[in-house]
């Protein structure tokens, strides 16, 4: 199911994107275009707040992850559908994508040698400590995949589990407050993913500035 729902998200975004592109207008933008422009400006502002002017260039991947995760979270609130993000494979795939992408950008920006050096050499730390610092940094970066995965999966899966339990005991109206909370939590989790992604990316592409 989570694979089918993930494919459905991609199809929704593709169809919506193609439909909007054919109606884009500078002089007479529609309501949907105005909303999407505001959302895009919000994404760009968030990235630039954490990364400076270079944040805009990472909008396609980081913004794309936000949109995918948000729609995935919201699908769980639609009768007959399910949230693919409540299956641990989907949050893991999102976390791994972000992890690989920010390391790739770090190597691309700094060069492989300089990028690896920042894992071991830190200001004010004796060089003799470099091997230990390197191991700690590698473990820290690997743990980010686990942290991102479990945070997203735990919140979405937990919310749906609570709704199912309450609905089985007191059906109809009682689960509605939890479902409303799910809308808030789903949006918040997508936003957290965006924020953490921009922070990780900022550190990866700005190593030389820090040193």
């Amino acid at each position: 199911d989570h694979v089918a729902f993930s494919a459905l998200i991609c199809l929704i975004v593709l169809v919506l994107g193609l439909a909007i592109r054919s109606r884009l207008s500078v002089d007479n933008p529609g309501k949907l275009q105005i909303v999407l422009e505001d959302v895009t400006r919000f994404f760009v502002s968030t990235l630039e707040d954490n990364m400076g002017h270079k944040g805009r260039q990472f909008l396609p991947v980081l913004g794309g992850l936000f949109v995918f995760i948000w729609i995935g979270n919201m699908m769980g609130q639609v009768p007959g559908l399910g949230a693919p993000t409540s299956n641990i494979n989907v949050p893991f795939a999102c976390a791994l994508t972000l992890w690989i992408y920010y390391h790739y950008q770090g190597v691309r920006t700094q060069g492989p040698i300089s990028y690896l050096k920042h894992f071991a050499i830190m200001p004010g730390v004796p060089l003799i400590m470099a091997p230990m610092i390197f191991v700690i940094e590698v473990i820290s970066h690997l743990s980010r995949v686990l942290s991102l995965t479990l945070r997203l999966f735990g919140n979405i899966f937990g919310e749906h589990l609570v709704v199912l339990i309450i609905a089985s005991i007191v059906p109809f109206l009682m689960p509605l407050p939890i479902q409303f909370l799910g809308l808030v939590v789903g949006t918040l989790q997508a936003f957290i993913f965006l924020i953490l992604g921009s922070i990780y990316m900022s550190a990866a592409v700005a190593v030389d500035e820090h040193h």
Side-chain angles (χ1 to χ4, degrees):
D1 288 349
H2 65 278
V3 175
F5 288 137
S6 297
L8 179 60
I9 294 173
C10 296
L11 182 62
I12 290 171
V13 173
L14 176 62
V15 171
L16 184 62
L18 291 174
I20 293 171
R21 186 178 68 172
S22 64
R23 301 176 183 177
L24 289 178
S25 172
V26 176
D27 300 323
N28 187 29
K31 294 181 179 179
L32 182 57
Q33 180 180 335
I34 293 173
V35 170
L36 292 177
E37 286 177 353
D38 288 339
V39 172
T40 302
R41 275 194 289 269
F42 171 74
F43 285 162
V44 171
S45 175
T46 300
L47 295 178
E48 290 184 342
D49 285 345
N50 287 292
M51 307 176 63
H53 66 279
K54 66 178 67 175
R56 182 183 295 265
Q57 68 186 14
F58 305 114
L59 175 65
V61 172
L62 296 179
L65 281 170
F66 176 96
V67 171
F68 177 86
I69 292 170
W70 183 78
I71 295 177
N73 294 344
M74 295 302 105
M75 284 176 66
Q77 311 300 326
V78 180
L81 297 180
T85 45
S86 65
N87 183 297
I88 197 167
N89 292 287
V90 175
F92 174 72
C94 293
L96 189 60
T97 298
L98 175 60
W99 190 83
I100 292 173
Y101 181 68
Y102 83 73
H103 282 302
Y104 164 75
Q105 290 295 338
V107 171
R108 181 170 172 267
T109 303
Q110 305 295 333
I113 302 300
S114 297
Y115 187 66
L116 283 175
K117 279 173 62 178
H118 94 276
F119 283 81
I121 302 175
M122 294 187 175
V125 179
L127 285 177
I128 195 172
M129 301 282 288
M132 184 178 71
I133 296 296
F134 182 82
V135 172
I136 293 173
E137 282 293 298
V138 169
I139 294 174
S140 172
H141 280 265
L142 289 173
S143 70
R144 290 177 179 179
V145 178
L146 182 63
S147 173
L148 289 167
T149 300
L150 293 181
R151 180 185 292 108
L152 178 57
F153 165 72
N155 279 278
I156 304 306
F157 177 79
E159 182 265 328
H160 287 289
L161 185 61
V162 169
V163 170
L164 288 174
I165 293 173
I166 294 178
S168 65
I169 300 173
V170 185
F172 305 115
L173 296 179
M174 285 303 293
L176 291 180
I178 305 298
Q179 287 185 293
F180 175 76
L181 182 62
L183 297 176
V184 177
V185 171
T187 302
L188 182 61
Q189 289 304 312
F191 181 68
I192 289 173
F193 214 96
L194 175 70
I195 290 293
L196 290 177
S198 65
I199 292 172
Y200 297 158
M201 190 71 67
S202 176
V205 301
V207 174
D208 284 345
E209 295 176 13
H210 295 162
H211 294 299

